[in-house]
Amino acid sequence: MSGLAVRIIPCLDFKDGRVVKGVKFENLVDSGDPLERARIYEEQGADELTFLDISATVEGRKTMAKEVARIRRGIAIPITVGGGIATLDDAARLLDSGADRVSANSAAVRNPAIIGDIASQFGVQCAVVAIDAARNTAMPSGYEVKIAAGAVPTGLDAVAWAKEAASRGAGEILLTSIDRDGTSLGYECTLLGLVARAVGIPVVASGGASKPEHFLEGYRSGASALLAAGIFHRGEVSISEIKHYLAKNNVEVRL
Amino acid sequence: MSERPTLVIVETGVANLASVRALAERLGMEPVVSAVPEEVIRAQAVILPGVGAFGPAMQKLRKNGLNDAIRDRVAAGLATAGICLGMQLFFERSEESEGMDGLGIFRGKVRRLEGGLPLPQLGWNRLEPGAGSRALQPGWVYFANSYGLAVVAGASQEIRENEIPGAPGFDSITTATTTYGSPFVSALEAWRGDRPSVLLCQFHPELSGPFGTQLFARWLDMNGARRPL
């Protein structure tokens, strides 16, 4: 036993400072005030919150930083922010605003040195690399990395890229299955297992979880943390329900 | 002009201090980020926060004379806390930066966590205070660390029983442990007279929900460092 509890992480997608949630990265729907949401999740037992900024404009990103600052003052659990982080300045701005960790996705693929830069400047625990992966039988692992919100294939093997990210100083991998995202079919456990075994850092499972059983599967596949969005926003499953289910199955959770 | 008591957060270089500031605000204290020794000595309470590596952080403290300011505070029995790397700096040495002396207020060498589990340890783990702890209580706390104190057996005892010549002394020291593969020292409270003047946390109280806020509220009140709200 590691002693460490598996983390349950609600994810909030932001556009221009507002919370939205997409299905397969499309059809965005607005679902409420972020601070109010964040407080509800903290009370329900969320172990951490992840925010993804999908704003496409400089203005939108500034609004995001202000929102992060407001939420930071209102809650006392860790916050990870991702989306549009391309430079050390982008990372510094969000960390100054109150993020505890930042995640780089497309930018890390385009410029892998950013991973080491964030790690050496702010510590490895700050440097999360987000990987969006889709099935592709032409890849050695069977999964390919896609960037630009899943729109652009990179030709990179997902497991090989995760290993490289870890060796460059990433402190955690946030692994989203594009095939499963928004489908309610559960995490892509094969992908999770391959990545978790390949890297010596924590892996966060993302994409597809809709019931407590899916969270247990994700944990058993090697994930250190389990992320979901829509099911929490819509109130379909509560964090406490998931944690009790995991505890009943002898998984260490913070209750 | 605020009339709240000040909590000085020691500036050790590049650090994300928003969460520690938010903790101070929740405690009803005025957070002041400072690298000025006089301000560090004068504050009702001081937090040495933790981000970055042992060596560069110690260099920064020395350059600004903050190492002496912190030692003077501790010698005077004033409320002083260390968080994460800030805790590690209170010890003698670290494997992370060989050849660099720490503040040397407590015995021990910081080492990379053992046990073959993913590093950094990232997430919530159990705080198990040793007998006699009063500020520290059992509960779940949030960690983000690859290094820690004394994976080696007997380290807690060494901290408690072996004073460093010339270092500020204490009437009693109790430690808390946490297990991540193997046990390490996750917190420490050191008493001078009727006050737990030094509180060290390897975890992040500022990110440990209400448990972390209550721990610091209790510690500040035991030190009389916070006026009743």
Side-chain angles (χ1 to χ4, degrees):
Chain A
M1 284 300 287
S2 78
L4 204 62
V6 65
R7 285 169 282 151
I8 306 297
I9 307 177
C11 176
L12 300 170
D13 289 0
F14 284 74
K15 190 166 193 295
D16 305 325
R18 298 286 305 176
V19 179
V20 291
K21 169 57 192 169
V23 176
K24 285 203 172 179
F25 299 137
E26 290 161 17
N27 304 327
L28 304 169
V29 180
D30 197 321
S31 58
D33 173 55
L35 176 56
E36 197 182 311
R37 280 274 120 204
R39 283 204 173 120
I40 291 169
Y41 292 143
E42 183 184 26
E43 277 169 27
Q44 285 183 355
D47 295 304
E48 192 173 317
L49 295 177
T50 289
F51 303 154
L52 285 180
D53 184 13
I54 55 172
S55 309
T57 62
V58 174
E59 248 350 272
R61 303 218 183 283
K62 279 188 190 152
T63 312
M64 180 67 190
K66 278 187 205 145
E67 274 305 297
V68 170
R70 189 169 75 97
I71 298 167
R72 170 73 291 155
R73 289 192 293 271
I75 61 165
I77 54 174
I79 297 172
T80 301
V81 181
I85 292 163
T87 66
L88 212 47
D89 281 350
D90 294 336
R93 193 184 62 240
L94 287 164
L95 292 168
D96 283 347
S97 300
D100 299 291
R101 307 194 283 137
V102 290
S103 78
N105 190 330
S106 304
V109 171
R110 294 190 185 113
N111 170 29
I114 184 82
I115 303 169
D117 291 348
I118 293 173
S120 57
Q121 187 81 9
F122 304 110
V124 287
Q125 81 290 339
C126 271
V128 181
V129 171
I131 300 177
D132 294 338
R135 276 190 221 109
N136 180 345
T137 50
M139 294 288 131
S141 72
Y143 296 93
E144 181 182 15
V145 178
K146 290 193 169 183
I147 58 171
V152 180
T154 62
L156 284 173
D157 181 85
V159 174
W161 170 233
K163 282 175 85 163
E164 182 179 346
S167 73
R168 285 178 175 273
E172 185 166 78
I173 302 289
L174 166 52
L175 184 63
T176 301
S177 161
I178 293 173
D179 304 306
R180 293 298 176 93
D181 197 57
T183 64
S184 305
L185 295 172
Y187 296 115
E188 179 80 45
C189 290
T190 311
L191 169 67
L192 259 180
L194 289 170
V195 172
R197 280 193 298 277
V199 299
I201 56 175
V203 176
V204 184
S206 160
S210 65
K211 47 185 187 180
E213 290 82 351
H214 293 153
F215 289 80
L216 182 61
E217 287 165 12
Y219 170 77
R220 288 188 173 153
S221 301
S224 297
L226 305 157
L227 178 146
I231 56 160
F232 295 141
H233 306 336
R234 294 188 297 270
E236 290 167 14
V237 184
S238 74
I239 294 162
S240 124
E241 191 180 337
I242 292 162
K243 286 192 166 182
H244 280 99
Y245 179 80
L246 291 170
K248 211 172 67 191
N249 285 279
N250 301 315
V251 178
E252 190 88 87
V253 288
R254 176 178 69 107
L255 280 172
Chain B
M1 196 61 200
S2 169
E3 292 182 11
R4 294 184 297 176
T6 55
L7 188 151
V8 163
I9 301 163
V10 181
E11 198 182 350
T12 54
V14 193
N16 159 25
L17 301 175
S19 303
V20 181
R21 276 176 186 274
L23 171 67
E25 297 276 357
R26 281 194 289 276
L27 292 165
M29 307 279 285
E30 177 78 30
V32 177
V33 177
S34 172
V36 179
E38 292 72 28
E39 289 180 358
V40 169
I41 291 170
R42 259 202 325 265
Q44 275 98 335
V46 162
I47 291 180
L48 185 54
V51 166
F54 190 92
M58 264 323 290
Q59 264 167 354
K60 181 84 192 277
L61 289 182
R62 289 228 184 99
K63 191 174 142 220
N64 295 323
L66 292 167
N67 55 331
D68 288 335
I70 293 165
R71 285 174 66 97
D72 288 352
R73 264 193 81 82
V74 172
L78 299 171
T80 311
I83 295 175
C84 199
L85 174 68
M87 163 170 177
Q88 298 171 8
L89 296 173
F90 277 75
F91 290 84
E92 294 169 289
R93 285 179 301 279
S94 173
E95 218 173 71
E96 190 179 17
S97 307
E98 294 285 3
M100 173 66 69
D101 287 337
L103 291 169
I105 293 169
F106 298 102
R107 278 269 185 226
K109 180 174 178 178
V110 175
R111 294 172 198 278
R112 201 163 163 84
L113 295 178
E114 287 171 1
L117 293 168
L119 290 179
Q121 168 184 218
L122 215 50
W124 299 78
N125 206 333
R126 281 199 178 85
L127 181 71
E128 295 169 10
S133 300
R134 285 172 54 196
L136 295 163
Q137 291 178 6
W140 287 99
V141 290
Y142 184 85
F143 289 91
N145 65 315
S146 297
Y147 289 84
L149 209 90
V151 191
V152 229
S156 293
Q157 196 178 351
E158 186 181 43
I159 295 168
R160 287 195 305 270
E161 294 176 359
N162 296 319
E163 248 176 50
I164 299 173
F170 296 96
D171 296 318
S172 76
I173 299 172
T174 66
T175 55
T177 56
T178 294
T179 302
Y180 184 63
S182 46
F184 63 96
V185 179
S186 48
L188 173 158
E189 59 180 79
W191 288 70
R192 288 280 294 275
D194 60 356
R195 292 178 175 202
S197 55
V198 174
L199 175 66
L200 304 181
C201 303
Q202 181 58 67
F203 55 91
H204 288 272
E206 75 279 19
L207 298 177
S208 296
F211 182 91
T213 311
Q214 284 156 14
L215 165 63
F216 265 63
R218 196 160 54 236
W219 172 70
L220 289 171
D221 290 344
M222 285 173 155
N223 278 287
R226 190 172 74 142
R227 277 175 296 192
L229 292 171

